[in-house]
Amino acid sequence: MSLSFKIQTANNLEAIDFNPDGVHAIEVKSLNVYYGSFRAVKDVTLGIARQKITAMIGPSGCGKSTVLRSFNRMNDLVAISRTEGEVLFHGKNIYEPDVDPVEVRKRVGMVFQKPNPFPKSIYENVAWGARINGFKGKKSDMDNLVEQSLRRAALWDEVKDKLDQSGLSLSGGQQQRLCIARTIAIVPDIILMDEPCSALDPISTLKIEDLMRELVQDYTIIIVTHNMQQAARVSDYTAFFTLTDNRAGFLMEYGDTTQLFTNPKEQVTEDYITGRFG
Amino acid sequence: MPRETLDRKLNILQQEMLILSSMVESAVTASVDALKAHDLETAKQIIATDRTINARRFELENDIIITIATVQPVMATDLRLVASILEVVSELERMGDYAKGIAKVALLIGKEPHIKPLIDIPLMAELAVSMLHRSVEAFVNKDEETARRIPAEDDRVDALYNQVYRELVTIMFQKPTSIDQANHLMWVAHNLERLADRVSNICERAIYVATGKLQELSVSDDEYLSAV
């Protein structure tokens, strides 16, 4: 599958070709994120493996969500934020001035902590994703795309008879899967998930986790979670972030999930995952 | 996770494991003493004690399962520790069976005079029990160095076993009426030899808890392979 695609620039509509790079879906180099004068993320360098699930864990305030949001320039929406360093997506630094953040967010989708379907029908929630991506096909093609997206989000069987009902009429777990279907409909390369199950009951949580394992066959998934057992259950790789004395988040340990949770290299990681701090 | 609760539970589990180990150590020592002294009453007590050892093992196993379910020690050292205690208690239970086996031999031999002075067999027991005691201590203390050193001592136990074996075979040749007792004593020596072997498994778990590395420590089987 060719991963070559075009990104429209912010200042003009001239397209830039991005050539697919090696094994990383995203490569972060010396990332520093500031909120005003406060440094929230300090010198983070890491590569995110393609078509794998990478979990980011760490105590509150360690910058893991900030790092996650830097992958699709969501931090730009915070007026006082400033990002230094590089986030390479297909070899291109997404923070270069010629990159349109909206275009980046199409390629790097996001699922949030609280399910946030639009107050529209289930069908329209998913179709919106496709329209965002410039879909201009026939109604039957759109029907097909909506169905496929809902199937991929493991929601089709539960909603196929009520597609015209409001997305808000669904349960929390179903709403979250609807949001995942909406994200899939945009056809991203990467799906970012920021605590996607923290508002869900255990059964819905397991459904989302099963879904993640399905989706990772086609997508790269990066998840921030406070639930370490979830990270251990679902991810292939885990990045543990913690804080310096002046509360700047940094990457402490990064590696194979099974290794990190059974025999971490760093004592700080051990102390965190065994509940000694955080 | 309430860390204090978890620490308390893990300490209790380790203490229970130490108690089980002490019971096994006493049973092994007492079984060989009973054999040596033709003390049939003690031998019967050891057989009864084995039921207590088995019951305590199940109790401890149950405690571990409850600990996993309630306080979830499922990460890193905590996980390695509880998983390893499960393994160690199973080893201890088997060692208890060896003591029971020796006590049964004591009953089978009864008051019949021994066909040879029992010197090497008590020495084997002493060495094996000492190895066991120190291995469990190393486990609790997360003492990798000691855990690595102990399995080498198994060579001495093996050497004594080979010596007892040769001696008993010679006696059997010389005096066929002794075959029955010689065979029983061989069984005792074999139990002690196996017990010392199993200490290596406890040492492997001690190293696993301390370092996260799971590796076989037992001495090479090359001499057997090359003999085939």
Side-chain angles (χ1 to χ4, degrees):
Chain A
M1 182 178 71
S2 170
L3 289 169
S4 181
F5 64 95
K6 292 172 187 294
I7 279 193
Q8 291 176 327
T9 62
N11 300 326
N12 56 55
L13 294 177
E14 189 187 335
I16 300 167
D17 256 331
F18 281 177
N19 292 318
D21 54 358
V23 290
H24 290 136
I26 284 184
E27 234 180 313
V28 180
K29 291 183 179 171
S30 306
L31 180 74
N32 287 278
V33 183
Y34 298 83
Y35 294 118
S37 59
F38 170 66
R39 175 146 78 167
V41 172
K42 186 186 169 198
D43 293 331
V44 169
T45 294
L46 84 167
I48 301 289
R50 252 188 209 157
Q51 283 172 258
K52 299 282 178 195
I53 300 176
T54 300
M56 304 209 292
I57 61 166
S60 296
C62 70
K64 56 192 186 296
S65 286
T66 302
V67 171
L68 186 82
R69 286 198 295 266
S70 73
F71 295 164
N72 70 347
R73 292 188 58 170
M74 290 290 279
N75 291 326
D76 291 13
L77 305 176
V78 180
I80 57 166
S81 80
R82 179 164 55 88
T83 303
E84 289 175 358
E86 293 182 343
V87 176
L88 301 173
F89 179 52
H90 293 281
K92 171 82 175 174
N93 181 11
I94 62 170
Y95 284 91
E96 281 180 16
D98 59 350
V99 175
D100 178 0
V102 174
E103 202 61 36
V104 170
R105 289 173 205 142
K106 287 184 194 170
R107 309 300 308 202
V108 186
M110 191 153 191
V111 176
F112 296 87
Q113 186 171 359
K114 197 161 169 273
N116 56 352
F118 302 132
K120 289 177 177 292
S121 70
I122 294 167
Y123 184 97
E124 278 306 314
N125 261 281
V126 183
W128 174 88
R131 288 194 194 105
I132 278 284
N133 214 22
F135 183 88
K136 289 192 178 71
K138 288 182 293 188
K139 168 82 168 66
S140 58
D141 290 339
M142 179 62 99
D143 290 350
N144 191 35
L145 201 148
V146 169
E147 178 178 339
Q148 289 313 312
S149 300
L150 286 167
R151 278 189 189 282
R152 299 233 52 199
L155 188 60
W156 174 251
D157 288 341
E158 293 162 59
V159 301
K160 63 185 176 193
D161 299 324
K162 50 179 180 183
L163 292 174
D164 55 345
Q165 285 183 21
S166 168
L168 297 171
S169 68
L170 299 173
S171 72
Q174 288 172 326
Q175 286 188 18
Q176 195 61 304
R177 279 179 282 148
L178 179 62
C179 294
I180 292 172
R182 186 177 64 192
T183 305
I184 292 169
I186 309 172
V187 200
D189 276 11
I190 298 171
I191 302 174
L192 308 178
M193 296 185 167
D194 193 356
E195 293 264 11
C197 302
S198 62
L200 306 183
D201 62 74
I203 302 286
S204 304
T205 296
L206 289 178
K207 275 189 184 165
I208 299 281
E209 289 176 8
D210 285 346
L211 175 58
M212 288 168 74
R213 293 307 323 174
E214 282 290 316
L215 292 175
V216 79
Q217 291 171 27
D218 296 309
Y219 303 95
T220 299
I221 297 176
I222 309 165
I223 176 174
V224 162
T225 177
H226 270 116
N227 181 339
M228 279 175 287
Q229 283 163 39
Q230 177 171 64
R233 274 195 302 268
V234 82
S235 71
D236 300 293
Y237 301 101
T238 299
F240 168 61
F241 292 81
T242 189
L243 299 88
T244 61
D245 290 341
N246 50 5
R247 304 198 65 76
F250 68 101
L251 180 62
M252 183 75 209
E253 184 167 348
Y254 182 36
D256 188 78
T257 292
T258 50
Q259 191 264 325
L260 191 134
F261 283 112
T262 55
N263 191 19
K265 291 191 179 78
E266 305 293 338
Q267 187 59 42
V268 184
T269 315
E270 164 95 29
D271 289 347
Y272 177 71
I273 64 174
T274 55
R276 288 183 169 83
F277 83 96
Chain B
M1 178 200 331
R3 186 67 229 181
E4 295 79 20
T5 310
L6 177 54
D7 281 335
R8 201 167 52 243
K9 291 257 183 197
L10 295 178
N11 279 336
I12 292 169
L13 293 177
Q14 289 184 92
Q15 277 166 23
E16 286 291 320
M17 185 190 75
L18 286 172
I19 291 169
L20 192 64
S21 177
S22 299
M23 290 172 75
V24 171
E25 288 165 33
S26 303
V28 173
T29 305
S31 68
V32 174
D33 286 349
L35 174 72
K36 199 174 168 187
H38 299 280
D39 181 351
L40 307 189
E41 272 316 302
T42 303
K44 283 179 193 163
Q45 276 169 26
I46 291 162
I47 292 169
T49 304
D50 188 56
R51 287 196 207 111
T52 315
I53 290 174
N54 292 349
R56 280 198 90 121
R57 175 260 174 116
F58 284 132
E59 246 172 68
L60 182 47
E61 211 171 307
N62 197 39
D63 285 350
I64 294 168
I65 301 295
I66 290 170
T67 303
I68 293 171
T70 54
V71 280
Q72 291 149 19
V74 292
M75 296 293 175
T77 315
D78 296 337
L79 175 64
R80 301 204 302 268
L81 184 64
V82 287
S84 298
I85 295 175
L86 267 179
E87 177 74 21
V88 170
V89 296
S90 142
E91 294 291 342
L92 291 173
E93 190 270 330
R94 291 305 302 273
M95 290 177 179
D97 288 346
Y98 293 143
K100 182 174 75 174
I102 295 169
K104 278 184 176 171
V105 167
L107 290 179
L108 285 169
I109 291 175
K111 297 291 182 186
E112 184 187 315
H114 291 133
I115 53 173
K116 74 182 222 53
L118 297 190
I119 293 163
D120 293 333
I121 285 178
L123 189 54
M124 283 177 80
E126 195 184 316
L127 288 171
V129 166
S130 160
M131 286 168 69
L132 168 60
H133 186 83
R134 283 175 291 125
S135 72
V136 180
E137 226 169 49
F139 182 98
V140 173
N141 295 333
K142 298 187 176 67
D143 179 354
E144 182 195 358
E145 203 189 319
T146 303
R148 281 195 186 282
R149 253 195 335 255
I150 294 170
E153 297 174 28
D154 189 38
D155 287 352
R156 274 196 74 197
V157 180
D158 285 349
L160 284 167
Y161 173 64
N162 289 335
Q163 196 172 305
V164 170
Y165 178 87
R166 280 194 302 271
E167 215 177 324
L168 288 170
V169 168
T170 308
I171 291 171
M172 284 193 259
F173 269 119
Q174 288 167 346
K175 195 178 168 196
T177 52
S178 68
I179 284 179
D180 209 27
Q181 190 187 121
N183 200 24
H184 286 139
L185 291 176
M186 204 103 79
W187 189 2
V188 170
H190 182 70
N191 276 5
L192 294 170
E193 188 268 335
R194 291 296 302 132
L195 193 147
D197 277 351
R198 285 182 179 273
V199 169
S200 297
N201 298 340
I202 296 177
C203 292
E204 284 166 7
R205 298 296 147 172
I207 293 168
Y208 180 56
V209 173
T211 67
K213 288 177 204 136
L214 201 51
Q215 60 184 114
E216 193 172 354
L217 291 175
S218 59
V219 202
S220 161
D221 294 325
D222 289 352
E223 57 177 308
Y224 296 101
L225 293 173
S226 61
V228 176

Short mmCIF file of all heavy atoms in Angstrom, two decimals, chain A residues 37 43 46 74 85 105 107 110 149 159 161 186-187 197 213 224 226 229 251 273:
data_model
loop_
_atom_site.label_atom_id
_atom_site.label_comp_id
_atom_site.label_asym_id
_atom_site.label_seq_id
_atom_site.Cartn_x
_atom_site.Cartn_y
_atom_site.Cartn_z
N SER A 37 5.41 30.58 29.81
CA SER A 37 6.81 30.38 30.19
C SER A 37 7.02 28.98 30.80
O SER A 37 8.14 28.57 31.06
CB SER A 37 7.22 31.44 31.21
OG SER A 37 6.39 31.34 32.35
N ASP A 43 12.36 17.90 25.95
CA ASP A 43 13.29 17.10 25.14
C ASP A 43 12.83 15.66 24.87
O ASP A 43 13.57 14.72 25.13
CB ASP A 43 14.66 17.03 25.84
CG ASP A 43 15.33 18.39 25.87
OD1 ASP A 43 15.07 19.19 24.95
OD2 ASP A 43 16.10 18.64 26.81
N LEU A 46 11.29 10.28 20.28
CA LEU A 46 10.85 8.88 20.18
C LEU A 46 10.27 8.61 18.79
O LEU A 46 9.87 9.55 18.10
CB LEU A 46 9.84 8.50 21.27
CG LEU A 46 8.34 8.80 21.11
CD1 LEU A 46 7.56 8.04 22.16
CD2 LEU A 46 8.05 10.27 21.24
N MET A 74 -2.84 19.66 17.83
CA MET A 74 -3.98 20.11 18.62
C MET A 74 -3.55 21.18 19.62
O MET A 74 -4.37 21.99 20.06
CB MET A 74 -4.62 18.94 19.37
CG MET A 74 -5.35 17.95 18.49
SD MET A 74 -6.86 18.64 17.79
CE MET A 74 -7.96 18.44 19.17
N GLY A 85 11.16 21.78 18.34
CA GLY A 85 11.56 20.44 17.95
C GLY A 85 10.78 19.99 16.73
O GLY A 85 10.10 20.80 16.09
N ARG A 105 -4.58 17.04 10.74
CA ARG A 105 -5.59 16.40 11.60
C ARG A 105 -6.47 15.42 10.84
O ARG A 105 -7.10 14.56 11.44
CB ARG A 105 -6.43 17.48 12.30
CG ARG A 105 -5.62 18.20 13.36
CD ARG A 105 -6.35 19.38 13.97
NE ARG A 105 -5.36 20.33 14.48
CZ ARG A 105 -5.47 21.63 14.42
NH1 ARG A 105 -6.53 22.19 13.85
NH2 ARG A 105 -4.52 22.41 14.90
N ARG A 107 -5.14 13.42 8.62
CA ARG A 107 -4.29 12.22 8.52
C ARG A 107 -4.02 11.60 9.88
O ARG A 107 -3.68 10.43 9.99
CB ARG A 107 -2.94 12.56 7.86
CG ARG A 107 -3.04 13.31 6.55
CD ARG A 107 -3.79 12.57 5.50
NE ARG A 107 -3.32 11.22 5.30
CZ ARG A 107 -3.52 10.53 4.19
NH1 ARG A 107 -4.18 11.05 3.19
NH2 ARG A 107 -3.07 9.29 4.09
N MET A 110 -8.31 11.87 15.91
CA MET A 110 -8.25 11.85 17.37
C MET A 110 -9.59 11.44 17.98
O MET A 110 -10.64 11.86 17.52
CB MET A 110 -7.85 13.23 17.89
CG MET A 110 -7.51 13.22 19.35
SD MET A 110 -6.34 14.54 19.69
CE MET A 110 -5.83 14.15 21.32
N SER A 149 -17.58 2.08 7.73
CA SER A 149 -16.95 2.73 8.89
C SER A 149 -17.57 2.23 10.19
O SER A 149 -16.87 1.96 11.17
CB SER A 149 -17.11 4.25 8.80
OG SER A 149 -16.50 4.71 7.61
N VAL A 159 -26.58 -0.49 15.41
CA VAL A 159 -27.25 0.76 14.99
C VAL A 159 -27.86 0.69 13.59
O VAL A 159 -28.50 1.66 13.16
CB VAL A 159 -26.27 1.96 15.05
CG1 VAL A 159 -25.73 2.16 16.45
CG2 VAL A 159 -25.12 1.79 14.05
N ASP A 161 -30.40 -0.42 12.30
CA ASP A 161 -31.83 -0.16 12.15
C ASP A 161 -32.25 1.21 12.66
O ASP A 161 -33.45 1.52 12.68
CB ASP A 161 -32.63 -1.24 12.91
CG ASP A 161 -32.34 -2.63 12.35
OD1 ASP A 161 -32.16 -2.73 11.12
OD2 ASP A 161 -32.27 -3.59 13.14
N ILE A 186 -12.73 9.48 7.95
CA ILE A 186 -11.83 10.50 7.39
C ILE A 186 -10.61 9.84 6.74
O ILE A 186 -9.83 10.49 6.07
CB ILE A 186 -11.41 11.51 8.51
CG1 ILE A 186 -12.65 12.03 9.23
CG2 ILE A 186 -10.62 12.67 7.94
CD1 ILE A 186 -12.36 12.88 10.46
N VAL A 187 -10.47 8.54 6.94
CA VAL A 187 -9.35 7.75 6.41
C VAL A 187 -8.00 8.30 6.90
O VAL A 187 -7.18 8.76 6.09
CB VAL A 187 -9.36 7.65 4.87
CG1 VAL A 187 -8.51 6.46 4.43
CG2 VAL A 187 -10.76 7.51 4.34
N CYS A 197 -11.37 5.40 27.18
CA CYS A 197 -12.29 4.53 27.91
C CYS A 197 -12.56 5.01 29.32
O CYS A 197 -13.26 4.35 30.08
CB CYS A 197 -11.72 3.10 27.98
SG CYS A 197 -11.41 2.41 26.35
N ARG A 213 -7.52 -3.53 18.70
CA ARG A 213 -6.69 -4.63 18.16
C ARG A 213 -7.07 -4.92 16.71
O ARG A 213 -6.24 -5.32 15.90
CB ARG A 213 -6.83 -5.91 19.00
CG ARG A 213 -6.29 -5.89 20.41
CD ARG A 213 -4.85 -5.46 20.61
NE ARG A 213 -3.89 -5.86 19.60
CZ ARG A 213 -2.61 -5.45 19.59
NH1 ARG A 213 -2.15 -4.66 20.53
NH2 ARG A 213 -1.80 -5.83 18.66
N VAL A 224 -3.25 7.45 25.11
CA VAL A 224 -2.87 7.91 26.44
C VAL A 224 -3.85 7.29 27.41
O VAL A 224 -5.06 7.35 27.19
CB VAL A 224 -2.94 9.46 26.52
CG1 VAL A 224 -2.99 9.91 27.98
CG2 VAL A 224 -1.75 10.08 25.84
N HIS A 226 -4.58 6.30 31.79
CA HIS A 226 -4.17 6.23 33.19
C HIS A 226 -4.28 4.81 33.69
O HIS A 226 -3.81 4.49 34.77
CB HIS A 226 -5.07 7.13 34.04
CG HIS A 226 -4.54 8.51 34.16
ND1 HIS A 226 -5.20 9.61 33.67
CD2 HIS A 226 -3.39 8.98 34.70
CE1 HIS A 226 -4.49 10.69 33.91
NE2 HIS A 226 -3.38 10.34 34.52
N GLN A 229 -3.34 -1.29 33.40
CA GLN A 229 -3.69 -2.63 32.91
C GLN A 229 -4.23 -2.55 31.49
O GLN A 229 -4.05 -3.47 30.71
CB GLN A 229 -4.69 -3.27 33.86
CG GLN A 229 -3.97 -3.77 35.10
CD GLN A 229 -4.88 -4.03 36.26
OE1 GLN A 229 -5.97 -4.53 36.07
NE2 GLN A 229 -4.45 -3.69 37.45
N LEU A 251 10.30 11.85 28.76
CA LEU A 251 10.18 10.41 28.51
C LEU A 251 11.21 9.68 29.35
O LEU A 251 12.41 9.87 29.17
CB LEU A 251 10.41 10.13 27.02
CG LEU A 251 10.31 8.68 26.57
CD1 LEU A 251 8.92 8.12 26.81
CD2 LEU A 251 10.68 8.56 25.10
N ILE A 273 4.57 1.94 38.11
CA ILE A 273 3.60 0.90 37.70
C ILE A 273 3.19 0.01 38.86
O ILE A 273 2.17 -0.66 38.79
CB ILE A 273 4.11 0.04 36.49
CG1 ILE A 273 5.36 -0.75 36.86
CG2 ILE A 273 4.33 0.90 35.27
CD1 ILE A 273 5.79 -1.70 35.76
#
